[in-house]
Amino acid sequence: MKRFSVKSKLTLLLTALAAVVAILIFSLLLFISSSVSVSSSMAALSDTARKNASLISMENGKLAFDDSFSFYHHGITTLIYSKSKALVAGQPPVNFSFSDDFQNGTVRTVPSDDTSYLVADIYLPFGWDDGVWIRALSEAPDNGRIAADITFVFFIIFPVFLLLAALGSYLIVKLSFRPLDKISRTVSAINEAKDLSGRIGLKGNDEFSRLSDAFDGMFERLERSFDAEKQFTSDASHELRTPLAVIKSACEYAEKFDETAEERRETIEMIHRQANKMSELINQLLNITRLDQGTEKLSIADVELGSLVHSLCCEQGYDINRLHIQAQKGVFVSGDSMLLSRLIKNLVDNGFKYGKESSCVWITVYKNEDEALISVRDDGIGIADEYKEKIWQRFYQVDASRGEDSGIGLGLFMVQQIARAHGGYVTLDSTLGIGSEFILHLPLRK
Ligand code: ADP
């Protein structure tokens, strides 16, 4: 059975099932036909005996038969016996051996020589002494012959039935497996072409559609994770090139020229800064990729945003003269406090980074009917309208020439990702030269 496909196995099983059902029906037919033929013969016999009994009368001490009385009718012989069981009228069949076991009103089988007979007796009491027995008899139906006939027909019909059953089963199995064929063809095509954008897309709500949905979901996830991996590799190699080039040329310069101790210290500091930048870049890229892929599991808990903001600002040691916090109490969300802190930190850092000299940052925590909100506002350089869309893209910087204090263009991208991962979003309101306000909208804790 191992060599056979599932289709062949199912076809065989269904055909076998049909064969078993046919054999069962055949056996039932045999049983029913034999019992039906015996009982219908018995009923006919009993009817004839009664009918004939009603056609006999006693006139002047003699039996009188009505005109419609018949001693032999449709294979049923009627015999008349005296009360003392002597044959008075009628001709018994040649091979019927007389049975003196008369039973009034019953029909029974009486074995006789080589055949069995069905016998029905009725006693007619004419006066006290002159009663007669009416005996109707017919050959018992030959069950063996009926069975042989049915078996003969069965053996002619059975192979044709089996063939049709096999054909029907094959068609049913083929039709039922069509969606599975589609699934395996699509999966093979995706596998061969190494193109994860293909989808099976079976419609409906049966097992195959659910399997197809599961596969499509898996391809979707795989595609996203491959894309994220590709993006990560290309982003990382692209962005690491600049600090690496700086480090390389600083080393070459230091090798070529005799540097003073002071110059060497500056070179080392610069290399240190570039190395830090590289490590921050790699960390951020990893975080972004994990969030992208959904592999960074959110550890969701109840977070009180006011406390979160206060403890974050305390940890970061921001200048309290330039940072103003106003937090409504009891604004709870369900979220990952580490990621939310990272989001707020990015916004506050930007507020200071893109502020004017000694400009301030205001953080306000509040809520409305169904949202928790954190506003991070600054009175810094502001963002021109044309950049308001672009700044959310990864690695996008309005002014990439800000030198070493410029970021790497991943902060706002990550802000947006974290907000989305929490079912929220961030809005921006900014005026060039006046300042910017980023507002984080999160669903309130249920
Ligand atoms: P990075 O700060 O590392 O450059 P971000 O993704 O955080 O990257 O920001 C993208 C760009 O958006 C920044 O380069 C900057 O030009 C602009 N930007 C972000 N926040 C502010 C802000 N508060 N004020 C003015 N410009 C901002």
Side-chain angles (χ1 to χ4, degrees):
M1 220 37 182
K2 249 186 186 169
R3 286 170 287 128
F4 291 113
S5 66
V6 178
K7 270 190 209 167
S8 325
K9 283 183 203 166
L10 269 178
T11 308
L12 274 178
L13 276 175
L14 283 175
T15 312
L17 193 71
V20 170
V21 171
I23 289 170
L24 279 179
I25 291 175
F26 163 68
S27 317
L28 204 69
L29 214 64
L30 273 186
F31 172 74
I32 290 173
S33 67
S34 64
S35 56
V36 162
S37 69
V38 169
S39 62
S40 65
S41 303
M42 281 179 157
L45 201 65
S46 165
D47 282 354
T48 308
R50 273 175 221 287
K51 192 179 152 219
N52 279 344
S54 68
L55 299 175
I56 301 174
S57 56
M58 184 69 87
E59 284 170 17
N60 303 327
K62 277 187 169 177
L63 287 176
F65 298 96
D66 188 268
D67 287 349
S68 54
F69 184 94
S70 159
F71 280 100
Y72 188 79
H73 181 66
H74 286 319
I76 297 175
T77 307
T78 303
L79 304 171
I80 316 288
Y81 290 88
S82 68
K83 191 178 177 187
S84 54
K85 295 164 186 168
L87 184 63
V88 176
Q91 178 66 48
V94 192
N95 51 1
F96 177 69
S97 25
F98 172 69
S99 153
D100 68 351
D101 169 28
F102 283 83
Q103 292 175 20
N104 187 19
T106 61
V107 184
R108 63 203 184 280
T109 310
V110 173
S112 175
D113 292 349
D114 52 349
T115 26
S116 295
Y117 278 88
L118 292 177
V119 174
D121 295 327
I122 291 179
Y123 182 68
L124 286 181
F126 293 118
W128 285 109
D129 234 4
D130 306 322
V132 286
W133 284 98
I134 315 287
R135 167 166 281 185
L137 58 97
S138 68
E139 274 187 30
D142 186 351
N143 283 342
R145 200 177 46 78
I146 295 172
D149 286 351
I150 293 178
T151 311
F152 177 71
V153 173
F154 176 76
F155 275 107
I156 290 177
I157 290 176
F158 189 63
V160 179
F161 169 79
L162 213 61
L163 202 73
L164 286 177
L167 206 72
S169 308
Y170 175 72
L171 284 177
I172 289 171
V173 170
K174 197 176 166 190
L175 272 178
S176 320
F177 273 63
R178 197 175 271 175
L180 198 65
D181 286 341
K182 189 176 180 202
I183 292 175
S184 73
R185 271 200 313 275
T186 315
V187 173
S188 305
I190 287 173
N191 194 24
E192 278 155 25
K194 302 206 167 32
D195 171 18
L196 286 168
S197 62
R199 296 288 179 269
I200 303 162
L202 280 187
K203 300 268 172 290
N205 192 26
D206 56 13
E207 289 81 350
F208 287 125
S209 318
R210 286 200 288 276
L211 183 68
S212 141
D213 287 349
F215 268 116
D216 284 347
M218 186 179 79
F219 292 140
E220 182 91 41
R221 228 172 112 73
L222 278 176
E223 191 183 13
R224 257 193 287 130
S225 92
F226 275 110
D227 285 351
E229 193 185 294
K230 258 198 289 182
Q231 187 74 44
F232 175 82
T233 320
S234 100
D235 287 351
S237 51
H238 183 256
E239 293 305 313
L240 287 174
R241 221 171 271 152
T242 319
L244 263 180
V246 176
I247 291 174
K248 226 171 122 194
S249 60
C251 292
E252 280 166 5
Y253 185 86
E255 269 172 10
K256 267 193 206 148
F257 304 101
D258 269 349
E259 286 190 321
T260 61
E262 176 63 14
E263 279 171 337
R264 230 172 286 143
R265 194 182 53 76
E266 274 175 20
T267 307
I268 289 170
E269 267 176 16
M270 197 248 280
I271 290 175
H272 198 183
R273 276 199 304 277
Q274 293 300 333
N276 279 343
K277 196 167 179 177
M278 284 167 72
S279 112
E280 193 203 337
L281 177 85
I282 289 173
N283 279 340
Q284 293 219 32
L285 277 175
L286 274 176
N287 289 332
I288 283 174
T289 309
R290 284 190 199 128
L291 267 175
D292 236 8
Q293 286 181 304
T295 46
E296 171 134 352
K297 286 260 171 315
L298 303 191
S299 42
I300 300 289
D302 286 351
V303 182
E304 211 261 320
L305 293 181
S307 321
L308 184 84
V309 166
H310 279 293
S311 54
L312 167 81
C313 296
C314 230
E315 269 166 32
Q316 294 299 317
Y318 293 121
D319 180 353
I320 50 160
N321 296 316
R322 296 177 59 201
L323 180 68
H324 307 283
I325 303 173
Q326 202 179 7
Q328 188 180 330
K329 279 204 173 107
V331 181
F332 280 96
V333 295
S334 302
D336 183 317
S337 53
M338 227 177 68
L339 288 179
L340 289 175
S341 302
R342 202 186 289 164
L343 181 158
I344 300 163
K345 178 180 173 313
N346 282 356
L347 291 179
V348 177
D349 285 348
N350 278 354
F352 285 123
K353 206 159 48 173
Y354 303 106
K356 295 173 206 143
E357 210 177 315
S358 74
S359 63
C360 295
V361 171
W362 289 263
I363 308 179
T364 317
V365 178
Y366 57 107
K367 66 177 173 184
N368 60 26
E369 247 173 42
D370 41 26
E371 280 182 326
L373 301 112
I374 303 179
S375 145
V376 179
R377 183 167 62 84
D378 62 66
D379 54 356
I381 59 171
I383 302 164
D385 286 347
E386 67 215 83
Y387 301 120
K388 283 180 184 164
E389 292 278 315
K390 293 182 181 155
I391 52 168
W392 302 99
Q393 296 166 10
R394 61 168 88 195
F395 295 118
Y396 190 84
Q397 294 178 290
V398 175
D399 181 7
S401 60
R402 285 171 66 90
E404 283 185 16
D405 66 322
S406 83
I408 45 180
L410 288 176
L412 286 182
F413 182 74
M414 203 186 290
V415 161
Q416 203 170 43
Q417 265 190 327
I418 296 174
R420 278 185 192 152
H422 284 80
Y425 58 97
V426 185
T427 52
L428 163 66
D429 183 15
S430 180
T431 312
L432 198 61
I434 305 274
S436 313
E437 182 180 21
F438 290 86
I439 302 179
L440 166 68
H441 301 246
L442 290 175
L444 278 171
R445 178 187 66 177
K446 291 255 155 51

